[in-house]
Amino acid sequence: MSTFQNTTASSIIFLLTGVPGLEAFHTWISIPFCFLYATALSGNSLILFVIITQPSLHEPMYYFLSMLSTTDLGLSISTLATMLGIFWFNAREISFNACLSQMFFIQLFTVMESSVLLAMAFDRYMAISNPLRYASVLTDLKIAQIGVAIVTRGTLILTPMVVLLKRLSYCSSHVLHHSYCFHPDVMKLSCTDTRINSAVGLTALISTAGVDSVFIILSYVLIIRTVLSIASPEERKKAFSTCISHIGAVAVFYIPLISLSFVHRFGKRAPPYVHTLIANAYLLIPPVMNPIIYSVKTKQIWKAVLKVFHSSMTKS
């Protein structure tokens, strides 16, 4: 029975969905999506380029920011082909194995982003509460080890979740409700018992984004306590202002993620366009907004970006 299910699953072709009910307008709908993808790809590439080329930004805070931009690039690229393929060419078909691959990378980059945000929270805590030990604790080697741990953690947690989908058999309906492969969406098409898959998926969510969010909140409780102990109002304001960009990045990541999880688990009666809107926001808002937030709110990044543009204009 297991061999039969695996053979059947490998030959399945899923059908992705654009915006339900608005198929005739997909070409026009693709325009804002193209703009968002272009903003995400160019913005995060610029952040990476600036951090790599500007020696003044070779500090722990900006190394973590470069990790965030890398995950945002990966998240955008993971869905670019299928989403624009649907809008431009009505290319809805995706094989089972390609679907699992896309699902794995979407989930991996999501988990990595959550982990990077936690690392950035720790970075801010160390910089504010113990500035004298900041450089000695967050060395280049330690940051590289954190980066490797982030990738390893995501891979180990998500591999069982994706592999377990291969044991399922699937019903006659192979229509997915998003323009990319999402774990709960694929799971709903199965004819067999998915309780194990649901439990593993929920465990993965809690052990990654759930645990990370708790530690991020704890970090900010400690940061606020440290800031309030500073005597000078100006110093308090200066210390807390270094966290504004990170708080914005946490908000644009967790709000769409939590909204999508709730809609999938409790919003079965919600209109299809609600699922589509939140699902696309979950993938596109963080990669689009993070470069904007850090460019506007972080003076060093803003100055470095202007320096790069001025340098390129001078050479031309």
Side-chain angles (χ1 to χ4, degrees):
M1 182 67 179
S2 177
T3 305
F4 173 75
Q5 285 179 354
N6 286 340
T7 303
T8 304
S10 299
S11 62
I12 285 174
I13 299 295
F14 287 126
L15 295 177
L16 300 170
T17 301
V19 182
L22 297 176
E23 289 81 3
F25 302 97
H26 273 178
T27 302
W28 293 104
I29 294 172
S30 71
I31 295 174
F33 277 97
C34 286
F35 174 75
L36 290 173
Y37 273 115
T39 303
L41 295 174
S42 60
N44 286 290
S45 297
L46 180 60
I47 293 288
L48 273 176
F49 178 77
V50 164
I51 292 173
I52 291 170
T53 58
Q54 299 299 311
S56 62
L57 299 181
H58 292 176
E59 298 177 5
M61 174 182 174
Y62 303 111
Y63 288 144
F64 287 126
L65 178 56
S66 69
M67 292 183 193
L68 187 67
S69 293
T70 302
T71 60
D72 282 337
L73 281 172
L75 197 57
S76 299
I77 293 169
S78 296
T79 59
L80 178 64
T82 55
M83 194 173 290
L84 295 186
I86 292 170
F87 290 141
W88 286 348
F89 310 111
N90 196 33
R92 298 177 58 197
E93 294 186 352
I94 184 170
S95 69
F96 181 77
N97 289 328
C99 185
L100 291 192
S101 298
Q102 185 188 48
M103 181 195 308
F104 174 78
F105 283 109
I106 290 173
Q107 298 291 103
L108 176 63
F109 287 119
T110 301
V111 169
M112 285 174 61
E113 182 141 351
S114 175
S115 302
V116 171
L117 290 172
L118 173 58
M120 295 174 86
F122 176 72
D123 168 80
R124 290 299 83 210
Y125 168 69
M126 285 299 301
I128 292 172
S129 67
N130 206 339
L132 296 179
R133 293 188 59 208
Y134 177 66
S136 62
V137 171
L138 289 174
T139 61
D140 290 353
L141 177 60
K142 185 66 68 177
I143 292 170
Q145 290 173 340
I146 291 172
V148 172
I150 286 171
V151 177
T152 304
R153 177 204 189 199
T155 303
L156 292 177
I157 290 175
L158 295 174
T159 299
M161 186 184 79
V162 175
V163 170
L164 280 172
L165 290 172
K166 284 181 169 285
R167 74 181 185 88
L168 303 177
S169 58
Y170 294 86
C171 304
S172 55
S173 175
H174 295 156
V175 179
L176 299 171
H177 297 295
H178 298 104
S179 52
Y180 57 89
C181 291
F182 188 58
H183 183 259
D185 207 11
V186 174
M187 201 168 53
K188 287 178 182 178
L189 299 182
S190 173
C191 301
T192 46
D193 188 358
T194 60
R195 282 179 294 181
I196 293 176
N197 298 75
S198 295
V200 171
L202 184 59
T203 301
L205 179 64
I206 292 172
S207 62
T208 53
V211 170
D212 292 348
S213 63
V214 170
F215 280 105
I216 288 172
I217 292 170
L218 178 62
S219 297
Y220 272 98
V221 169
L222 297 175
I223 287 171
I224 290 170
R225 189 178 71 175
T226 302
V227 170
L228 292 178
S229 67
I230 299 174
S232 169
E234 289 185 5
E235 288 298 318
R236 285 201 299 265
K237 183 179 179 181
K238 182 179 178 181
F240 197 70
S241 66
T242 63
C243 302
I244 297 299
S245 298
H246 181 255
I247 292 172
V250 169
V252 300
F253 174 77
Y254 276 101
I255 291 174
L257 176 62
I258 293 169
S259 301
L260 182 62
S261 298
F262 269 93
V263 166
H264 265 281
R265 296 189 182 277
F266 307 112
K268 295 179 181 179
R269 296 183 181 179
Y273 66 83
V274 173
H275 290 262
T276 302
L277 179 64
I278 295 177
N280 291 330
Y282 152 70
L283 285 181
L284 286 173
I285 286 180
V288 169
M289 291 303 299
N290 283 336
I292 296 173
I293 290 170
Y294 275 93
S295 295
V296 172
K297 291 295 183 180
T298 308
K299 289 182 180 179
Q300 291 87 341
I301 293 291
W302 179 243
K303 289 178 180 178
V305 170
L306 290 178
K307 184 178 179 180
V308 168
F309 276 118
H310 178 72
S311 177
S312 62
M313 291 290 289
T314 304
K315 289 180 181 179
S316 61

